[in-house]
């Protein structure tokens, strides 16, 4: 068990990696708890949930709506949960986003904690306190930043994840390696077989390293005024690809990272050898390199990016494996790069 502490102004949070998830019973109050989960997680793990009211959502992004929050708040009122209550999210990114947002607005804010059940949420979504719901197809329009009291990451729970969900999360771990941890990158290269076999001992170590890096970034810049932006590496193109092709987040981010690495080389920021290593690692895990999306569609989607300010966009480049920088770049330049890139014959 490794506990990573995240202290930000006004809150303390801990990510507990390698803890058996049933031990969550020791971390929550005795009464006044609402458990939020989804149907898939409930079907597999529901029998062992702590005894409290459980609200089970349909799985998937479609549950991330304001109406879900209203609905759940109504049910919590009916269950008599007051300001001393506690919201426990048991699930992936979707469940934890909803649980965290609900806890931050119910009665102007009550306590919350998560059992994080997907690789994506363990390495990314559950650390950092971002939560929220979508609006009219645009992701996370309404939400808050609020740290949960704890996040349990039990690698055993990852064994039941569908393969594509596992690989989607793995891409976000690769992102962490590229922007901040070259040793992690090397481990992902060297232990490819064990990673794909989901060796739980190895996973505990890899998840720990990923969370440690993210925690460091979040402690320094909780509200994304600066450093936290580097976590968006691969996400400018990635988000556009995700929307255009409706693929899982990580798969879209993987092609976004390949593009961003190439763009970094073109800008003279990163050597070709590092970009090649990145491409090789992405290929090793089976991610597609070139997204099949037209430049005009990419243009339309990038122009709607939330991270845009005026005609510029904060774009994250790398200067090598384990090192990222962000720069304000004219949107046109980003689009032009994609146009050039997408006509180049790919090897
Ligand atoms: P993410 O964490 O990728 O944002 P979701 O919360 O949507 O994603 O979870 C992805 C899918 O995996 C959902 O269908 C969810 O029900 C399912 N799921 C979550 N955790 C597990 C698990 N430990 N075992 C099996 N399926 C799971
Ligand atoms: Zn992401």
């Amino acid at each position: 068990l490794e506990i990573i502490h995240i202290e930000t102004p006004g809150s303390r949070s801990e990510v507990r990696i390698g803890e058996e998830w049933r031990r969550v019973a020791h971390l929550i109050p005795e009464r006044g708890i609402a458990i939020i989960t989804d149907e898939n997680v409930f079907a597999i793990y529901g029998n062992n949930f702590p005894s409290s009211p459980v609200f089970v959502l349909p799985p998937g992004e479609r549950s991330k709506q304001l109406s879900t929050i209203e609905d759940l708040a109504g049910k919590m009122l009916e269950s008599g949960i007051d300001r001393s209550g506690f919201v426990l999210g048991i699930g992936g990114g979707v469940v934890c986003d909803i649980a965290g947002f609900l806890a931050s607005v119910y009665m102007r804010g009550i306590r919350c904690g998560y059992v994080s059940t997907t690789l994506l949420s363990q390495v990314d979504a559950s650390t950092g306190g971002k939560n929220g719901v979508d609006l009219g197809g645009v992701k996370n329009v309404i939400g808050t930043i609020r740290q949960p009291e704890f996040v349990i990451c039990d690698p055993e729970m990852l064994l039941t994840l569908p393969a594509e969900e596992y690989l989607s999360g793995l891409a976000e771990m690769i992102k962490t390696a590229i922007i901040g941890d070259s040793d992690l990158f090397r481990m992902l290269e060297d232990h490819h077989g064990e990673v794909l076999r989901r060796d739980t001992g190895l996973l505990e170590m890899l998840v720990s390293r990923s969370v440690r890096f993210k925690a460091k970034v979040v402690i320094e810049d909780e509200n994304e005024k600066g450093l936290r932006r580097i976590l968006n590496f691969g996400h400018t193109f990635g988000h556009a690809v995700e929307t255009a092709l409706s693929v899982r987040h990580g798969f879209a981010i993987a092609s976004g990272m390949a593009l961003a690495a190439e763009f970094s080389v073109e800008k003279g920021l990163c050597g070709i050898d590092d970009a090649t290593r990145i491409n090789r690692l992405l290929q090793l895990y089976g991610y597609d390199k070139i997204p099949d999306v037209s430049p005009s569609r990419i243009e339309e989607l990038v122009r709607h990016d939330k991270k845009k300010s005026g005609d510029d966009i904060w774009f994250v480049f790398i200067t090598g494996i384990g090192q990222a920088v962000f720069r304000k770049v004219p949107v046109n330049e980003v689009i032009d790069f994609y146009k050039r890139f997408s006509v180049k014959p790919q090897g």
Side-chain angles (χ1 to χ4, degrees):
L1 169 68
E2 172 164 356
I3 299 179
I4 296 169
H5 297 273
I6 303 177
E7 283 190 37
T8 52
S11 72
R12 303 172 71 133
S13 176
E14 54 183 42
V15 187
R16 307 169 67 93
I17 299 150
E19 178 156 65
E20 216 258 310
W21 74 272
R22 286 187 196 84
R23 293 193 50 81
V24 70
H26 301 280
L27 300 175
I28 53 180
E30 269 172 22
R31 58 185 71 79
I33 298 151
I35 299 179
I36 315 289
T37 189
D38 74 22
E39 286 160 6
N40 296 333
V41 176
F42 189 71
I44 303 172
Y45 299 100
N47 282 341
N48 295 304
F49 278 10
S51 54
S52 313
V54 183
F55 305 120
V56 185
L57 303 169
E61 190 80 19
R62 272 167 307 135
S63 284
K64 277 185 52 166
Q65 290 185 23
L66 217 41
S67 59
T68 307
I69 302 298
E70 189 174 2
D71 191 45
L72 290 169
K75 289 180 171 145
M76 283 171 60
L77 265 183
E78 277 168 29
S79 309
I81 293 167
D82 62 19
R83 294 177 57 188
S84 66
F86 192 100
V87 178
L88 173 62
I90 305 182
V94 168
V95 163
C96 295
D97 267 15
I98 291 169
F101 184 46
L102 177 65
S104 75
V105 294
Y106 185 74
M107 306 227 169
R108 300 202 180 91
I110 65 172
R111 300 166 62 197
C112 76
Y114 310 144
V115 172
S116 201
T117 66
T118 66
L119 184 57
L120 186 62
S121 65
Q122 291 191 0
V123 301
D124 194 43
S126 295
T127 303
K130 283 188 179 178
N131 57 49
V133 295
D134 307 338
L135 190 68
V138 188
K139 289 178 85 174
N140 305 318
V141 181
I142 302 173
T144 65
I145 293 183
R146 187 158 182 280
Q147 309 301 333
E149 284 179 21
F150 61 80
V151 181
I152 291 183
C153 301
D154 181 349
E156 298 276 342
M157 295 184 104
L158 304 178
L159 299 175
T160 56
L161 263 189
E164 72 273 19
E165 299 297 346
Y166 181 73
L167 285 172
S168 177
L170 194 63
E172 207 78 55
M173 185 185 279
I174 293 174
K175 178 201 77 181
T176 305
I178 296 174
I179 62 173
D181 187 343
S182 56
D183 291 338
L184 178 60
F185 192 91
R186 157 107 342 116
M187 288 174 211
L188 289 164
E189 287 177 324
D190 292 348
H191 301 283
H192 162 247
E194 289 120 288
V195 171
L196 288 181
R197 255 182 276 122
R198 309 187 199 179
D199 178 287
T200 48
L202 181 65
L203 275 174
E204 183 172 335
M205 207 243 300
L206 300 176
V207 170
S208 288
R209 289 195 80 105
S210 307
V211 172
R212 235 181 280 150
F213 179 75
K214 182 158 183 190
K216 208 171 67 184
V217 171
V218 169
I219 288 166
E220 215 168 292
D221 176 28
E222 188 182 24
N223 296 307
E224 200 167 327
K225 300 276 181 280
L227 182 68
R228 189 165 180 166
R229 293 197 181 105
I230 64 170
L231 300 174
N232 294 317
F233 177 67
H235 283 58
T236 299
F237 287 120
H239 277 148
V241 170
E242 187 175 356
T243 308
L245 300 179
S246 307
V247 290
R248 302 281 317 142
H249 183 70
F251 290 85
I253 295 320
S255 43
M257 292 192 290
L259 286 161
E262 199 97 5
F263 198 14
S264 305
V265 172
E266 211 189 87
K267 284 263 184 199
L269 292 165
C270 173
I272 187 90
D273 293 355
D274 281 337
T276 304
R277 245 178 103 194
I278 289 169
N279 276 316
R280 236 188 257 135
L281 187 70
L282 293 172
Q283 269 167 22
L284 185 65
Y285 286 102
Y287 302 105
D288 292 332
K289 187 175 172 191
I290 348 148
D292 187 16
V293 186
S294 70
S296 60
R297 183 80 174 117
I298 289 283
E299 174 160 12
E300 183 189 333
L301 292 165
V302 169
R303 286 196 189 285
H304 278 98
D305 197 297
K306 269 195 309 218
K307 303 290 184 295
K308 206 163 66 69
S309 59
D311 291 332
D312 294 332
I313 196 161
W314 285 108
F315 197 93
V316 185
F317 296 96
I318 46 165
T319 54
I321 288 169
Q323 281 165 317
V325 292
F326 54 88
R327 299 268 165 91
K328 231 176 190 178
V329 181
V331 177
N332 288 335
E333 231 180 85
V334 175
I335 311 288
D336 284 346
F337 164 76
Y338 187 78
K339 283 182 183 154
R340 279 196 304 285
F341 179 87
S342 58
V343 296
K344 244 196 271 175
Q346 303 298 320

